[in-house]
């Protein structure tokens, strides 16, 4: 799997249909093969949460190129449901979204409203490990940190893909 150069930015133009049709494979726009096999063996699973389909699709494609298994959600409410059903290894979260924005998602997720999947809602030997959350926003990181504390990383859109991959490597080990 070849890494894209750091000059490849998220703002790259994606085809008119984003390479997928809306809703293909499920309500969240996931690949049809993901619906059939959502947990590939040995691959880290990333949940991409963004209301902009083209951004979500492009980012999912780039993560898959790097060997990650990707699921998608259009807003924080869908993300909470996805986390309840099948907790990912990491979450990439947009800040401004309809229904449940990134800040509200983080408060609910870190507070245990997602069924304790974040690992910070309870103590004990059986608690799952914390799930890292990276907030990606067009707003400056300082503003997002104030409005959405509790994230493990912040990226300002557009960002070099190498910044995202480095952050994921650091957070996932």
């Amino acid at each position: 799997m070849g890494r894209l150069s750091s000059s490849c930015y998220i703002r790259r133009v994606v085809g008119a249909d984003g390479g997928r049709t809306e809703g293909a494979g499920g309500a969240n726009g996931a690949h049809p093969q993901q619906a059939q096999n959502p947990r590939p063996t040995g691959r880290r699973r990333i949940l991409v949460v963004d209301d902009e389909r083209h951004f979500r699709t492009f980012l999912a494609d780039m993560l898959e190129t790097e060997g990650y298994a990707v699921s998608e959600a259009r807003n924080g409410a869908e993300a909470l449901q996805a986390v309840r059903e099948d907790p990912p290894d990491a979450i990439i979260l947009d800040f401004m979204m309809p229904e449940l924005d990134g800040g509200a998602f983080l408060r609910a997720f870190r507070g245990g409203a997602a069924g304790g999947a974040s690992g910070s809602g309870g103590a004990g030997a059986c608690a799952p490990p914390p799930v890292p959350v990276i907030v990606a926003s067009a707003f400056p990181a300082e503003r997002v940190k104030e409005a959405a504390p509790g994230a493990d990383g912040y990226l300002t859109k557009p960002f070099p893909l190498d910044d995202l991959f480095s952050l994921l490597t650091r957070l996932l080990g």
Side-chain angles (χ1 to χ4, degrees):
M1 290 174 271
R3 166 130 331 156
L4 295 172
S5 74
S6 62
S7 63
C8 180
Y9 285 84
I10 293 299
R11 196 175 277 197
R12 178 185 298 216
V13 176
V14 180
D17 67 353
R20 301 185 190 131
T21 57
E22 188 69 42
N28 66 357
H31 287 297
Q33 61 269 26
Q34 287 175 326
Q36 297 167 2
N37 186 12
R39 282 187 170 231
T41 305
R43 293 173 66 189
R44 295 292 198 136
R45 294 172 298 108
I46 309 296
L47 174 62
V48 176
V49 186
D50 200 297
D51 59 317
E52 294 183 26
R53 182 173 53 92
H54 287 87
F55 177 82
R56 199 174 61 238
T57 300
F58 174 75
L59 192 54
D61 289 344
M62 296 302 101
L63 288 163
E64 288 170 350
T65 298
E66 290 295 311
Y68 294 100
V70 180
S71 56
E72 300 173 26
R74 295 179 291 194
N75 56 56
E78 284 185 11
L80 285 173
Q81 183 64 34
V83 168
R84 282 185 198 103
E85 292 172 2
D86 189 19
D89 295 307
I91 299 169
I92 301 171
L93 178 69
D94 186 22
F95 180 65
M96 294 296 295
M97 295 179 290
E99 293 187 49
L100 190 66
D101 67 21
F105 170 85
L106 271 171
R107 286 187 296 278
F109 181 64
R110 295 292 191 214
S118 71
S120 60
C126 296
V131 176
V133 177
I134 300 169
V135 175
S137 175
F139 294 108
E142 297 76 32
R143 179 175 173 194
V144 175
K145 286 178 187 179
E146 291 174 11
D152 300 285
Y154 298 89
L155 294 169
T156 302
K157 295 178 185 178
F159 50 83
L161 289 173
D162 279 348
D163 289 359
L164 172 62
F165 297 139
S166 294
L167 190 52
L168 283 170
T169 299
R170 181 174 60 81
L171 292 171
L172 295 175

